[in-house]
Amino acid sequence: MKWLSIGLLAAISAACHAAPVLVAAASNVEPALSQIVARFAEETGAEVKVSYGPAITLAAQVAGGAPFELYLSANEEYPRRLKAQGYCLGEPRVYAIGAVVLWTMDSGFHRDGWLDWLRNGSGKIALPNPETTIYGQTILYILNHYQLAELLRPRFVKVRDVGRTAELVISGKVAGGFVSKSEVMRPDFRDKGRWVEIPAASYPPIRQSMILLKPAAGNPQARQLFDYLLSPQARKVWRAFGYGDG
């Protein structure tokens, strides 16, 4: 009985001092993922630490030996590459479908006239850098689709990620900007400014994929979080922030 008690105490102590789950996540998911992680932590007692940034930067960090256990990308390509290069456990899974919006603090903006607003305006337009971000590449694709890229190029303000783009828009330092729909669905931003969702037919689907990484082999809570991100509870949050089902 004594040995059983000692073993039980040791197991409890190990659970209480389990290492945090280390997650690398594309910046656009921060509003939704922060809520999902908080609920996961509340339900399981697990500690989760998330590093946000451009998906390409985080993928490079994984390949460089960073000890992340989960990687949430803004596309399918980077998780597939990491899988092919031997950095992963299991297969990538699509956890959400992203969407793009044009957002402005201009009270004269009308959703039905967003193309004319862009064509006839003169203020700066912020967007994530197309050279380093998935959403930036998608936005450039959209602008080419509507034959607006060259017209608007002198007005571009390229920034690090969608989060920084949202900060510029909400501060009024730019006339408007293109961001992920998750930014305008944040509780603290939901009633600010005006926005329009860009028609999905104008750009390739943003299939956001994630992968469990090899350092997760020693942390069962990492696998638990991976599964939780695909659960009905998590999907409800993803939808609330404008994402489609993966």
Side-chain angles (χ1 to χ4, degrees), residues 24-112:
S27 300
N28 73 90
V29 302
E30 183 172 3
L33 186 61
S34 60
Q35 282 196 16
I36 296 171
V37 163
R39 294 182 185 185
F40 175 79
E42 184 178 354
E43 291 178 18
T44 65
E47 182 183 358
V48 181
K49 293 185 177 180
V50 185
S51 297
Y52 294 100
I56 188 171
T57 301
L58 296 172
Q61 291 175 7
V62 170
F68 295 120
E69 294 162 302
L70 272 78
Y71 168 60
L72 280 73
S73 181
N75 68 356
E76 292 183 288
E77 179 184 353
Y78 297 148
R80 284 174 180 168
R81 286 186 187 179
L82 291 173
K83 170 67 177 176
Q85 293 165 2
Y87 293 104
C88 305
L89 302 172
E91 297 295 325
R93 293 289 303 275
V94 175
Y95 61 90
I97 308 296
V100 176
V101 304
L102 173 61
W103 190 25
T104 177
M105 298 296 116
D106 181 0
S107 60
F109 178 87
H110 297 287
R111 290 183 177 184
D112 293 342

Side-chain angles (χ1 to χ4, degrees), residues 8 26 38 71 98 150 180 184 216:
L8 185 59
Y71 168 60
E150 292 308 312
S180 62
V184 298

